[in-house]
Amino acid sequence: MKRSPQLLQLSREHHTALVLAKRAQRLGKGQPAAAQAFMGEVPHVFASELEPHFQVEEIALLSALREAGPADAVVGMVERTLVEHAALRELTQRIAEQDFASLAAFGELLDAHVRFEERELFNLAESLLSPEALA
C-alpha cells in the first residue's frame, strides 16, 4: 500500500507491533510457563516502541484530525484509536503483573488496532489532511 511520506515512519513502526502481536497471540494460547520470559519483555517493548508511537499519534495525528472537522467518521475513528490505546496500555500493565490471561487479548487487540490504523485511520488522514498537517 502506498503511504504518504509524512505517515511512512508511523506505518513502518506498525511492523514491530504486528510481530509483537503475533508472538503474544501464539504464546497466549500455550502454557503460562512458556510465555513467562516473553511477558517480561512486553512492558519494555511497549515502553520503548509502542508508547512513543501512541504519543505521536495522539498528540499530532489525532489532534490534526479533530481540527479537520467534526464529521462522525472522524470523531468515531479518533475515539476508537484513543480507546484502543488505553486498552493496550491496561493490558500491558496486566502482563507486567504476570497476568497470563491478558497475553492473548493483548495480541488480538494489537493486531486488530494496527490493521485498523493502516486500513482506515491513515487513509482518512491522507484524504483529509494536507501534507503540511500530516507532517
Side-chain angles (χ1 to χ4, degrees), residues 24-133:
Q25 288 171 324
R26 182 175 44 82
L27 290 170
K29 294 176 184 170
Q31 296 298 315
Q36 193 168 18
F38 176 69
M39 290 176 63
E41 293 173 29
V42 169
H44 299 292
V45 174
F46 190 91
S48 65
E49 303 282 335
L50 297 179
E51 185 61 36
H53 176 93
F54 286 3
Q55 291 296 315
V56 169
E57 289 176 343
E58 291 171 4
I59 293 167
L61 184 61
L62 298 182
S63 295
L65 281 171
R66 277 191 199 104
E67 291 176 17
D72 288 343
V74 172
V75 172
M77 285 193 195
V78 167
E79 287 304 311
R80 176 178 173 179
T81 303
L82 292 171
V83 165
E84 289 179 2
H85 284 184
L88 287 162
R89 287 177 177 117
E90 174 64 28
L91 286 166
T92 299
Q93 181 59 43
R94 289 183 194 167
I95 292 167
E97 296 165 358
Q98 295 295 303
D99 178 17
F100 177 73
S102 295
L103 193 56
F106 172 82
E108 295 291 332
L109 180 57
L110 184 57
D111 183 74
H113 177 71
V114 168
R115 295 182 191 290
F116 157 72
E117 286 189 350
E118 284 292 329
R119 294 175 182 159
E120 297 180 48
L121 185 70
F122 286 8
N123 289 341
L124 177 69
E126 289 172 328
S127 71
L128 289 180
L129 303 175
S130 68
E132 296 77 26

